[in-house]
Amino acid sequence: MKIGVIGTGHMGGTLGKKWAAQGHEVMFGTRDPHSGRIQALLQEAGAQAQAGTVREAAAFSEVILLAVMPDEVERVLEEAGTVTGKILINCTNRFDGQSADTEVRKLVQGARVVRAFHTLPWEVLAKPRYEEGNATVFLSGEDTEAKDTVARLSRDIGLDSVDVGGSGNMERIETGIGMLWQALSPQFGRDFGIRVLRRESIDA
């Protein structure tokens, strides 16, 4: 699958490298594709990865990962151009009480938006396997087929995926994880994951 990764920080860089390692074609979209930092990222990502402008990455892709800081969202989506019909994974977070999901949906009307990866630190994305099992990633959105695609991409890199339905349910998940984070991060730091345990059948 062709994946455009808009954002080359910890989140975008980690996910892009892991998808490239699984054989997906990845293009990192950035302001300066030829910078030393981006060239170092490409070396780590391997032969399946390349870099281009934000617009080039968006045009290249079937799936777009949006992984930028909140104050850059509007600018980079404007740079991306038309994304109608593409799956756009929104893993941005806002820290002002506003909804990052609502903001992105307003800016990319026509895209198939899936909210995912934003409830996990990049350290967990890099190493999602724990002794008790793989960490869970929560997905939300209104397009079932798009969510199925993101779930497959999640499993490709070792994550357990759970579809929580629409954006209202995701807001509840975000609130709960935020409270857990405040309570547990002083003890475990950033490198702890959450796993949803469920039974395969009523007799299990």
Side-chain angles (χ1 to χ4, degrees), residues 91-121:
C91 79
T92 65
N93 278 312
R94 293 183 64 114
F95 308 102
D96 57 1
Q98 302 299 309
S99 170
D101 188 51
T102 300
E103 177 191 28
V104 169
R105 287 179 183 278
K106 285 181 179 178
L107 293 170
V108 293
Q109 294 181 23
R112 304 163 68 191
V113 179
V114 178
R115 191 91 165 105
F117 303 113
H118 64 298
T119 58
L120 294 169

Side-chain angles (χ1 to χ4, degrees), residues 173-190:
I173 295 287
E174 291 166 348
T175 299
I177 289 178
M179 294 172 69
L180 277 173
W181 179 266
Q182 291 177 29
L184 297 180
S185 60
Q187 180 177 355
F188 298 117
R190 292 178 52 86

Side-chain angles (χ1 to χ4, degrees), residues 63-116:
V63 175
I64 299 169
L65 174 73
L66 181 65
V68 298
M69 297 300 289
D71 58 350
E72 295 183 340
V73 168
E74 186 170 1
R75 176 186 64 78
V76 298
L77 288 177
E78 184 176 336
E79 288 181 18
T82 301
V83 294
T84 300
K86 294 179 183 284
I87 296 172
L88 188 144
I89 306 170
N90 176 16
C91 79
T92 65
N93 278 312
R94 293 183 64 114
F95 308 102
D96 57 1
Q98 302 299 309
S99 170
D101 188 51
T102 300
E103 177 191 28
V104 169
R105 287 179 183 278
K106 285 181 179 178
L107 293 170
V108 293
Q109 294 181 23
R112 304 163 68 191
V113 179
V114 178
R115 191 91 165 105

Side-chain angles (χ1 to χ4, degrees), residues 1 3 19 24 63 89 149-157:
M1 183 164 285
I3 305 172
W19 281 323
H24 295 288
V63 175
I89 306 170
T149 297
V150 177
R152 288 196 300 272
L153 290 173
S154 302
R155 292 191 294 270
D156 283 350
I157 59 175

Side-chain angles (χ1 to χ4, degrees), residues 2-170:
K2 292 183 176 181
I3 305 172
V5 176
I6 300 177
T8 56
H10 285 310
M11 296 292 283
T14 297
L15 287 167
K17 287 187 292 185
K18 291 184 75 70
W19 281 323
Q22 293 301 312
H24 295 288
E25 297 179 61
V26 173
M27 180 181 285
F28 292 101
T30 179
R31 287 178 176 177
D32 186 0
H34 305 292
S35 71
R37 185 177 67 84
I38 298 302
Q39 295 308 304
L41 175 60
L42 292 179
Q43 275 201 320
E44 293 179 17
Q48 290 293 107
Q50 58 184 306
T53 64
V54 169
R55 186 173 292 267
E56 288 169 340
F60 163 87
S61 64
E62 301 165 85
V63 175
I64 299 169
L65 174 73
L66 181 65
V68 298
M69 297 300 289
D71 58 350
E72 295 183 340
V73 168
E74 186 170 1
R75 176 186 64 78
V76 298
L77 288 177
E78 184 176 336
E79 288 181 18
T82 301
V83 294
T84 300
K86 294 179 183 284
I87 296 172
L88 188 144
I89 306 170
N90 176 16
C91 79
T92 65
N93 278 312
R94 293 183 64 114
F95 308 102
D96 57 1
Q98 302 299 309
S99 170
D101 188 51
T102 300
E103 177 191 28
V104 169
R105 287 179 183 278
K106 285 181 179 178
L107 293 170
V108 293
Q109 294 181 23
R112 304 163 68 191
V113 179
V114 178
R115 191 91 165 105
F117 303 113
H118 64 298
T119 58
L120 294 169
W122 70 268
E123 292 90 342
V124 176
L125 294 174
K127 295 181 178 180
R129 179 71 181 175
Y130 293 81
E131 289 79 0
E132 297 80 5
N134 293 19
T136 295
V137 59
F138 298 100
L139 318 176
S140 70
E142 282 61 54
D143 188 317
T144 300
E145 185 180 5
K147 286 191 290 186
D148 287 345
T149 297
V150 177
R152 288 196 300 272
L153 290 173
S154 302
R155 292 191 294 270
D156 283 350
I157 59 175
L159 290 162
D160 166 58
S161 65
V162 172
D163 181 351
V164 303
S167 58
N169 286 339
M170 181 60 84

